[in-house]
Amino acid sequence: SDRPFVPVNCAALTATLAESQLFGHEKGAFTGALGASLGVFRAAQSGIVFLDEVGEMPLELQPKLLRVLQEGEVTPVGSATPVSVDVQIIAATNRNLEAEVEKGNFREDLYFRLNMVELGVPSLRERVEDIPDFIQHFSNRFAQQYERDVWRPNAETLRDFCDYRWPGNIRQLSHVIEQSYVLDCAPMLP
C-alpha cells in the first residue's frame, strides 16, 4: 500500500508522445525536452502501473510494452542504455481483446503476456442486485459534494432503475445521479 500506483489512460496516448510518457526521455532527446523525465514505468518503480483501456494502445507501441513486460527494462527516448524496472502491471479494457487479436488490432503475444490472471467484471445489467448499493453510494457522495440532502428512491423508482439496461454501466448511473444534484431535481432515467 505504500508503493507507487501510476494509472495510464492508454486511450489518451498519442503515438508521437507516448514513448516518452511511458518510458521517459533524456534532456534534449527532442524539441521541447528541456529536462529528463522518468516516464510512467520508472516513476512506478517497485509499485504498480495500471494500463486503463489497454485495448486502445497504438499498435506501434505494443512491441515496446511487450519488451518491458518480458525483459523488465525500458529505454528512455534519447538514450541507448536500457534501465531496469520492477513493476507490476494491471491492465483493463472494455474491448474483447481476443477479437482484437483476430482483427490484427492487438498483438497476440502481448495479449497472452497481459492475460496471466483475468478478472471479468459483469456489466451493471448483469448484476441488478448491486444497483441499490450504487445508488446509495453515489447519492451520498454527490449530496456531500453539492451540499444537498441525500436522494433516496421510493420503491417504484428503485424498480425502474433496476429494470433499466444501463448501456453506459456504472458511469451512466453515476452521471444520472450527479446530474440530478447539479439540476436540483430527482434523478430521471434517459
Side-chain angles (χ1 to χ4, degrees):
S1 67
D2 61 337
R3 304 279 172 92
F5 178 85
V6 182
V8 178
N9 179 354
C10 295
L13 293 175
T14 60
T16 53
L17 294 176
E19 195 170 348
S20 169
Q21 291 169 313
L22 294 176
F23 312 126
H25 63 262
E26 299 298 320
K27 179 179 179 182
F30 52 86
T31 304
L34 303 176
S37 168
L38 288 177
V40 166
F41 286 93
R42 290 192 292 166
Q45 183 65 22
S46 300
I48 294 172
V49 173
F50 173 51
L51 300 173
D52 195 15
E53 298 300 343
V54 73
E56 307 289 332
M57 179 171 278
L59 201 52
E60 57 270 21
L61 277 177
Q62 293 178 25
K64 294 171 183 174
L65 175 59
L66 183 62
R67 178 164 176 76
V68 174
L69 297 175
Q70 287 179 318
E71 306 300 327
E73 61 186 28
V74 298
T75 303
V77 176
S79 174
T81 308
V83 178
S84 293
V85 291
D86 176 26
V87 296
Q88 297 291 317
I89 305 292
I90 298 174
T93 184
N94 63 358
R95 291 182 178 244
N96 178 337
L97 288 185
E98 289 176 348
E100 294 300 314
V101 167
E102 287 178 25
K103 292 182 206 171
N105 296 331
F106 201 83
R107 289 181 59 113
E108 184 175 39
D109 48 0
L110 178 57
Y111 168 72
F112 286 118
R113 179 59 90 170
L114 287 171
N115 197 23
M116 187 177 297
V117 176
E118 183 176 342
L119 300 174
V121 179
S123 65
L124 187 56
R125 67 184 154 273
E126 296 175 55
R127 47 196 178 119
V128 174
E129 66 279 1
D130 293 339
I131 291 175
D133 292 333
F134 283 122
I135 289 173
Q136 181 179 353
H137 168 75
F138 292 128
S139 294
N140 289 336
R141 179 165 70 171
F142 295 128
Q144 183 177 6
Q145 181 178 338
Y146 293 102
E147 299 178 357
R148 293 204 165 72
D149 293 336
V150 174
W151 175 70
R152 300 203 193 294
N154 61 33
E156 181 182 343
T157 302
L158 182 59
R159 188 171 38 259
D160 290 343
F161 270 65
C162 290
D163 289 342
Y164 186 69
R165 299 286 298 156
W166 298 107
N169 282 308
I170 305 285
R171 287 184 181 117
Q172 184 183 17
L173 176 59
S174 169
H175 175 78
V176 165
I177 294 173
E178 183 175 17
Q179 183 181 49
S180 73
Y181 280 93
V182 169
L183 299 175
D184 198 19
C185 64
M188 294 176 287
L189 291 173

